Amino acid sequence: VLPSKPLGSGFQINFAKTARQNCLFNRGYEYMNLQNLAPISELYVSYESAQKLKLDAADLTSWDLTPRQICDLELLMNGGFTPLKGFLSEADYLSVLEDMRLADGSLWPMPITLDVPETFAQGLTLGQDIALRDQEGVILATMTVTDNWTPDKAHEAKLVFGADDSTHPAVNYLHQQAGAVYLGGPVIGIQQPVHYDFRGRRDTPNELRAYFRKLGWRKVVAFQTRNPLHRAHQELTFRAAKEAQANLLIHPVVGMTKPGDVDHFTRVRCYEAVLDKYPQSTTAMSLLNLAMRMAGPREAVWHALIRKNHGCTHFIIGRDHAGPGKNAQGEDFYGPYDAQQLFRKYQDEIGIEMVDFKHMVYVQERAQYEPADEVVGDVTVLNISGTELRRRLSEGLEIPEWFSFPEVVDQLRLSKPQRSKQGFTVFFTGLSGSGKSTIANALMVKLMEMGGRPVTLLDGDIVRKNLSSELGFSKEHRDLNIRRIGYVASEITKNGGIAICAPIAPYHTTRRAVREDVEAFGAFIEVHIATSLEECERRDRKGLYKLAREGKIKEFTGISDPYEIPEAPELRLSTENEEVDNCAHQVILKLESLGLIAG
């Protein structure tokens, strides 16, 4: 398979990057045989073949890729996922689950599969070619379907993530968002996904290898991150480069990360703001469009294989690498150094050396960062957790310079102003007739009286009439209706407004999905209106409960369909024997206590 020219019809790629000026790479140029710098295979066809395939693809069945699938496809096509030649076959998938190896024995710890709905999979035959398109319909690749199977997702979750626990974001994705059927087969790349942001910072594996070769970098240590760079990270990377006697590649992930993470636009601005703190002659930065799974130890091995494909010789593995946080029992999913232990087991086979580092803390008396387990003497150890940092940012409090760089803090404050200036969503949920809409209307009026931010009410009945009029009341349609409400609320929140939502929203997983959508941009306050079913039936102003009891309304929440009571809402209210004004005032008090509105 010949390499294509995905960046245009010319043969040269201009890096045009800081410390990379005039660094041109010709694809036909013979590489010197330096370790890790020989070109790796890409899955693109030639430019001429790609143009023909684009025309032929008009007759192919098309699949519009999800954001995660686009990330996976890009790294498949550009060689970042070498040795994979496409999405895993069923045999490869099962072998990866059980042994962290492909069917041919190659080390590979993460299942890379093309998940699709059952209805789409049923229309395919083995050996059929399909077109893989981005969300705007632009063709990126074709794939020959060699495998079509229904996986045991609970089994996958246990083996890959350690537990079938939906508090893990990737397990939740597996069960709630991923398609029911997996397709496998080789991929032929036509063109790279288009990125309009930070284009000068994005490199394929072969582009990075060419850059390292140009500068004569025989040893490169990569630093993986999904967070802004603070002073502890700088100290860690300095120490790692010194220990490995290597140049440093800051290689942050800009694909999908953990819900609630700082968006990659802000993070990259933070990285660029502190690059001058590093020696330019021995430091480079490149962005990796990877969709993380937060799989801890397995992910560490996966990340190392990807960095090897990008030409790196060393890789930093720190405390709780790619950990997702707490499980359903409130315990960490993985031990703090499990990733380092698994890496050591496979290090020789991976072909890249681990530089292991532990948690760094600031020692006040010595005015420096040190590994936490190496601190000696009667000294004052300072540290700020991620939770504490978010609190300080949201409340407009000082971030000390020993913790972070002023330039980083400035960028974080731009994207995350203090809470009293952020948009937010109040999400009422409860049975029909519980009083959601009435309280929501009262709350809207009170917030509009205060002024300062635009307020939008997304009432369940109004949304049904204007946004979801074609939907019925099956679980699938109810979920879709709530997701639409969540999408609109997230857009309002993102743009600094207040969204008040008042649907029934009976299902926990759908409410969680809406929370994750909104919390990417601001606060999400879930308010459970805990009015009893008996009281809701007694009110029954619309006569819906009577019709449901008579069997004339199917799948009615509380009667013939379940309502899953929120386990930990920010606020729980009962409207029985309570004035509407008092209920709305309790919400106001909650918003004040959270710093979202002024007291």
Side-chain angles (χ1 to χ4, degrees):
V1 179
L2 297 173
S4 71
K5 290 156 288 198
L7 299 184
S9 58
F11 280 90
Q12 290 184 325
I13 302 169
N14 191 342
F15 288 96
K17 300 171 183 178
T18 302
R20 303 186 189 186
Q21 300 300 319
N22 303 317
C23 181
L24 300 180
F25 164 57
N26 184 299
R27 287 187 180 274
Y29 190 88
E30 291 293 324
Y31 279 31
M32 292 176 62
N33 189 26
L34 297 176
Q35 182 185 12
N36 274 20
L37 297 186
I40 60 174
S41 296
E42 297 179 344
L43 302 183
Y44 297 107
V45 295
S46 67
Y47 179 78
E48 293 74 18
S49 296
Q51 303 315 302
K52 183 177 185 302
L53 276 175
K54 287 180 184 179
L55 295 175
D56 295 342
D59 298 324
L60 297 179
T61 299
S62 291
W63 172 249
D64 290 345
L65 299 159
T66 66
R68 186 163 99 168
Q69 291 168 350
I70 291 174
C71 290
D72 287 350
L73 179 64
E74 179 173 348
L75 287 165
L76 282 170
M77 294 190 298
N78 69 22
F81 281 174
T82 298
L84 303 191
K85 301 299 183 185
F87 291 99
L88 296 188
S89 67
E90 185 176 9
D92 282 328
Y93 165 79
L94 293 173
S95 183
V96 166
L97 296 194
E98 297 291 341
D99 301 318
M100 289 179 45
R101 296 185 181 279
L102 302 176
D104 67 4
S106 301
L107 180 66
W108 190 263
M110 200 63 58
I112 306 298
T113 52
L114 186 67
D115 58 277
V116 299
E118 188 175 2
T119 51
F120 181 82
Q122 287 174 342
L124 303 177
T125 57
L126 297 186
Q128 178 179 350
D129 289 338
I130 61 174
L132 303 179
R133 301 181 182 273
D134 68 15
Q135 295 184 313
E136 294 181 358
V138 176
I139 186 167
L140 303 178
T142 63
M143 170 180 158
T144 302
V145 180
T146 60
D147 293 77
N148 181 330
W149 79 99
T150 301
D152 181 344
K153 292 186 178 181
H155 184 62
E156 177 180 339
K158 290 175 184 176
L159 293 182
V160 176
F161 304 107
D164 187 22
D165 182 344
S166 288
T167 57
H168 191 299
V171 175
N172 182 63
Y173 181 96
L174 192 65
H175 288 304
Q176 303 303 328
Q177 294 179 252
V181 178
Y182 288 172
L183 304 179
V187 163
I188 296 176
I190 295 175
Q191 59 188 333
Q192 294 185 57
V194 176
H195 301 288
Y196 297 106
D197 60 317
F198 307 112
R199 297 183 72 170
R201 294 285 183 191
R202 295 177 182 267
D203 303 292
T204 68
N206 279 335
E207 288 169 354
L208 268 185
R209 286 167 174 245
Y211 175 63
F212 297 154
R213 179 197 160 273
K214 180 79 173 181
L215 297 184
W217 286 9
R218 293 172 180 260
K219 296 173 73 176
V220 181
V221 57
F223 176 56
Q224 147 92 28
T225 181
R226 45 174 254 273
N227 296 306
L229 277 174
H230 301 299
R231 292 188 185 273
H233 301 114
Q234 183 197 43
E235 179 64 23
L236 184 152
T237 52
F238 277 161
R239 286 173 175 246
K242 181 178 180 180
E243 179 177 312
Q245 291 294 293
N247 300 283
L248 174 66
L249 174 67
I250 300 173
H251 208 202
V253 169
V254 293
M256 299 173 67
T257 59
K258 182 181 174 183
D261 280 352
V262 176
D263 66 273
H264 82 266
F265 302 101
T266 300
R267 287 191 288 111
V268 175
R269 292 197 301 271
C270 289
Y271 304 142
E272 291 184 329
V274 298
L275 267 182
D276 62 357
K277 312 293 184 186
Y278 289 86
Q280 292 191 4
S281 61
T282 58
T283 306
M285 185 176 81
S286 180
L287 308 182
L288 180 65
N289 196 42
L290 175 71
M292 292 183 66
R293 271 60 164 184
M294 310 305 296
R298 277 195 182 225
E299 185 127 351
V301 174
W302 187 43
H303 287 172
L305 290 168
I306 293 168
R307 273 31 184 249
K308 179 189 176 184
N309 291 333
H310 282 78
C312 300
T313 57
H314 295 72
F315 186 49
I316 299 171
I317 302 289
R319 184 181 183 276
D320 195 25
H321 186 97
K326 306 292 185 183
N327 60 20
Q329 288 73 46
E331 302 169 346
D332 289 335
F333 269 95
Y334 314 113
Y337 301 110
D338 286 357
Q340 294 181 1
Q341 293 172 11
L342 189 67
F343 192 107
R344 287 190 184 93
K345 180 179 178 181
Y346 293 100
Q347 179 167 283
D348 291 342
E349 192 171 356
I350 295 170
I352 186 171
E353 291 185 35
M354 175 175 66
V355 182
D356 58 322
F357 270 94
K358 297 178 180 167
H359 185 49
M360 305 292 291
V361 294
Y362 185 76
V363 179
Q364 188 174 40
E365 286 79 1
R366 293 193 279 269
Q368 66 181 20
Y369 276 91
E370 299 176 8
D373 63 347
E374 295 178 13
V375 174
V376 294
D378 184 16
V379 295
T380 305
V381 171
L382 302 177
N383 188 32
I384 293 180
S385 67
T387 301
E388 173 64 11
L389 173 62
R390 288 189 291 273
R391 185 188 73 84
R392 288 174 179 245
L393 287 169
S394 68
E395 296 180 13
L397 301 177
E398 178 192 4
I399 310 296
E401 285 201 33
W402 63 259
F403 175 77
S404 192
F405 303 98
E407 300 91 334
V408 171
V409 175
D410 289 344
Q411 291 298 328
L412 292 175
R413 290 199 192 281
L414 282 175
S415 65
K416 290 285 186 181
Q418 60 189 77
R419 277 199 151 197
S420 61
K421 297 179 181 179
Q422 290 181 20
F424 62 88
T425 292
V426 179
F427 192 91
F428 290 95
T429 174
L431 295 169
S432 177
S434 61
K436 301 182 302 298
S437 297
T438 305
I439 300 172
N441 272 284
L443 176 64
M444 177 181 68
V445 171
K446 287 177 178 291
L447 290 172
M448 291 177 72
E449 180 184 8
M450 292 178 182
R453 281 172 283 196
V455 185
T456 303
L457 175 61
L458 299 171
D459 180 72
D461 290 340
I462 295 174
V463 170
R464 276 280 179 180
K465 179 179 179 181
N466 294 287
L467 190 62
S468 300
S469 59
E470 86 286 9
L471 299 182
F473 290 90
S474 65
K475 183 180 188 304
E476 180 183 6
H477 279 194
R478 290 181 185 198
D479 284 345
L480 180 56
N481 179 54
I482 301 304
R483 291 306 300 268
R484 287 178 180 177
I485 292 173
Y487 171 75
V488 176
S490 70
E491 289 295 304
I492 293 168
T493 300
K494 178 172 69 175
N495 288 286
I498 300 172
I500 302 174
C501 309
I504 293 174
Y507 308 121
H508 168 73
T509 54
T510 315
R511 295 194 298 261
R512 172 177 170 172
V514 172
R515 178 184 288 273
E516 290 177 355
D517 290 344
V518 171
E519 287 186 337
F521 307 110
F524 180 89
I525 299 88
E526 184 178 46
V527 181
H528 175 215
I529 306 301
T531 309
S532 67
L533 177 61
E534 294 74 20
E535 176 64 16
C536 292
E537 282 200 74
R538 187 189 66 77
R539 297 173 182 175
D540 201 15
R541 290 182 296 176
K542 301 175 184 177
L544 299 177
Y545 282 98
K546 181 176 183 295
L547 293 173
R549 292 290 187 188
E550 293 172 353
K552 295 178 181 178
I553 298 179
K554 306 298 182 183
E555 298 178 300
F556 189 82
T557 301
I559 304 299
S560 52
D561 201 64
Y563 177 81
E564 298 172 4
I565 297 174
E567 295 178 358
E570 278 71 17
L571 186 62
R572 202 184 304 273
L573 298 173
S574 174
T575 61
E576 298 176 50
N577 303 315
E578 287 285 349
E579 294 284 341
V580 170
D581 186 73
N582 184 52
C583 290
H585 187 63
Q586 289 185 57
V587 181
I588 292 289
L589 292 175
K590 186 65 178 180
L591 297 176
E592 287 180 358
S593 72
L594 295 172
L596 293 166
I597 58 176

